[in-house]
Amino acid sequence: MAKTRLRRYVATTLMTVALLPSIALAFQVLPRISDVDRKLSSLGGNQFIDGIGQWFVGNALPMIKSPVHEAITLNALDCVVQAGLEKQCLTTEAVRANQVLLYGVRWPDDPPFALNRASPPRIADCDPKVTLRSTAQPKCWKGLFSDADKTAKQRMSSKPGEPAFGPGEYLLYRSHFGDLQFFHSMAAYDSETAAETRQRMRMWAQFLWGVATKAIPTDRFIRTLGVDQLEYYFPGDMTATNLFATGIVEVRKDLDKVAMGALLHMLQDSFSQAHAGRNPESGAMCEAIPRFAQPGRISQFYSYAGQVGSLHDHEDTFNALGLQTLQVSPSVVDASRAFLTLWKENAPWSEAEKYFNCAFALEAPDTKAGPGPFTQ
């Protein structure tokens, strides 16, 4: 009887899940499980991605459940909508037309990476033969994210004043809870100064801009590229191709678009109140590049490990975006459009850096990072 009830429950759940896309996909365009993900699962150890797993990716995974970044980017490109209605830019046609750029915009939240085959994670549903990303292994992704969250809090307590994770550890751990939080315009740990965080962001932006403008080769080890301090974060035999497209063959011919998307992600995150505090805009133009308006100065960068995830997520929603675009100018959309304009012009980094300095201007460089007002 118990097995019968279980089969009925699963069947009912899968039927309910099967009906969800007709309701939700009007704007929940990304993420989605692709044909490649299904084929990988059929060849790997898990054998299939079930309906619950598909719903899980689109609705339940923290950090990636709402395609706000995609809407901002499409609005900054050529989608014309009234402020506050940015999610209307998320049409199937627009996503398909800009698929690789949007993959890049999504990449910092869901970077693909290989699991350690010699010592695979002790988490159910992790298949070390399949590249780890949310759509290919949703349950494993959630398990690793939860483990990173728990471990980061433990390490923060025992070793405050340093990143919880660093080189040699999984990219997902480092990018959300460790030394690579600059992917998201966040500090690597509590007490890191705003100047230190911005310097790491500048390093990252210079690398991304080089790849985006094809000034930096994607087939050379990152540690040899000559971008100051970048070799510390990627000391091994990793190229831009490995970093951005491990297991994702389809995007490798367009890594310039992927890199540009990753840069837009960092910029856009800096406008989220859960990532950084910003002062009101002054109405001034950027001093070094006056064709663009200057956003409000950054008052403080936050670090994620000490935040409550649900409070953080509340600031990364369409409601939060609409409140900003209705009340702030230049908004996150305007700032994204500025970088896109420079990219289309194939501007050198020396020119793009002028806008970087303007968009990430600091109120007080010595201000120390913390969780901000996003604690229990």
Side-chain angles (χ1 to χ4, degrees):
M1 288 295 292
K3 290 183 178 180
T4 301
R5 286 195 298 270
L6 178 60
R7 283 196 295 269
R8 287 176 181 172
Y9 170 77
V10 171
T12 301
T13 303
L14 291 177
M15 183 177 296
T16 301
V17 168
L19 294 175
L20 283 173
S22 64
I23 301 170
L25 288 188
F27 63 91
Q28 283 282 14
V29 180
L30 292 176
R32 65 182 179 83
I33 291 177
S34 69
D35 291 337
V36 173
D37 294 318
R38 297 182 195 283
K39 291 175 183 176
L40 283 171
S41 293
S42 69
L43 296 172
N46 293 337
Q47 295 302 309
F48 68 94
I49 296 175
D50 60 23
I52 294 176
Q54 182 166 357
W55 176 87
F56 195 64
V57 171
N59 296 270
L61 286 182
M63 303 296 291
I64 65 167
K65 60 191 175 185
S66 184
V68 173
H69 285 283
E70 290 85 342
I72 295 170
T73 302
L74 293 173
N75 194 185
L77 284 168
D78 53 15
C79 172
V80 179
V81 295
Q82 293 181 359
L85 300 177
E86 290 76 21
K87 70 181 179 183
Q88 292 184 359
C89 292
L90 285 166
T91 66
T92 302
E93 294 75 16
V95 170
R96 286 175 178 167
N98 299 280
Q99 191 169 10
V100 179
L101 179 64
L102 296 181
Y103 166 82
V105 169
R106 175 70 60 172
W107 180 88
D109 280 340
D110 192 15
F113 60 93
L115 295 171
N116 188 329
R117 295 194 181 193
S119 181
R122 295 182 178 180
I123 294 175
D125 299 303
C126 286
D127 185 348
K129 295 187 294 296
V130 177
T131 298
L132 196 287
R133 63 187 190 278
S134 67
T135 50
Q137 301 199 65
K139 296 176 183 177
C140 178
W141 195 102
K142 176 59 169 63
L144 289 176
F145 190 94
S146 298
D147 179 65
D149 188 6
K150 177 182 176 181
T151 304
K153 286 178 169 55
Q154 293 171 346
R155 292 184 179 181
M156 279 177 56
S157 177
S158 61
K159 293 183 178 181
E162 62 182 72
F165 304 103
E169 298 180 276
Y170 284 139
L171 198 57
L172 180 66
Y173 286 53
R174 297 175 65 194
S175 62
H176 288 300
F177 299 93
D179 64 331
L180 299 180
Q181 287 187 70
F182 54 78
F183 285 3
H184 307 283
S185 287
M186 300 191 81
Y189 54 89
D190 289 353
S191 80
E192 180 178 273
T193 68
E196 291 172 321
T197 303
R198 187 178 65 169
Q199 181 54 40
R200 293 182 176 91
M201 291 165 60
R202 186 193 307 276
M203 168 198 70
W204 181 234
Q206 181 181 355
F207 166 68
L208 293 175
W209 195 261
V211 176
T213 57
K214 301 184 180 180
I216 285 180
T218 59
D219 59 352
R220 286 178 52 193
F221 297 137
I222 294 174
R223 58 180 166 78
T224 69
L225 295 176
V227 177
D228 187 37
Q229 297 185 12
L230 192 63
E231 70 277 4
Y232 169 79
Y233 296 94
F234 305 103
D237 290 350
M238 176 176 282
T239 65
T241 300
N242 298 141
L243 179 61
F244 294 125
T246 290
I248 316 292
V249 177
E250 307 95 302
V251 304
R252 292 182 182 178
K253 67 181 185 300
D254 295 311
L255 290 181
D256 55 327
K257 296 177 182 178
V258 177
M260 187 61 204
L263 177 57
L264 290 175
H265 185 107
M266 182 174 72
L267 174 73
Q268 292 164 6
D269 271 350
S270 75
F271 284 82
S272 167
Q273 294 185 36
H275 292 246
R278 273 191 186 268
N279 294 337
E281 71 280 19
S282 65
M285 304 304 286
C286 294
E287 185 175 352
I289 188 165
R291 60 176 166 146
F292 300 122
Q294 180 170 358
R297 290 179 178 269
I298 292 175
S299 57
Q300 183 184 19
F301 288 110
Y302 303 140
S303 56
Y304 184 71
Q307 293 184 338
V308 175
S310 59
L311 297 178
H312 176 105
D313 291 347
H314 184 71
E315 298 299 330
D316 292 339
T317 63
F318 284 116
N319 285 345
L321 172 61
L323 286 171
Q324 185 202 130
T325 57
L326 282 165
Q327 301 178 89
V328 176
S329 179
S331 68
V332 62
V333 175
D334 298 318
S336 298
R337 189 176 293 118
F339 261 133
L340 284 167
T341 297
L342 291 167
W343 180 50
K344 291 175 182 178
E345 294 171 356
N346 200 38
W349 169 244
S350 59
E351 189 70 7
E353 187 179 22
K354 295 176 182 177
Y355 187 69
F356 176 95
N357 292 337
C358 179
F360 296 103
L362 303 177
E363 179 185 32
D366 292 334
T367 301
K368 293 184 178 181
F374 300 97
T375 58
Q376 289 177 331

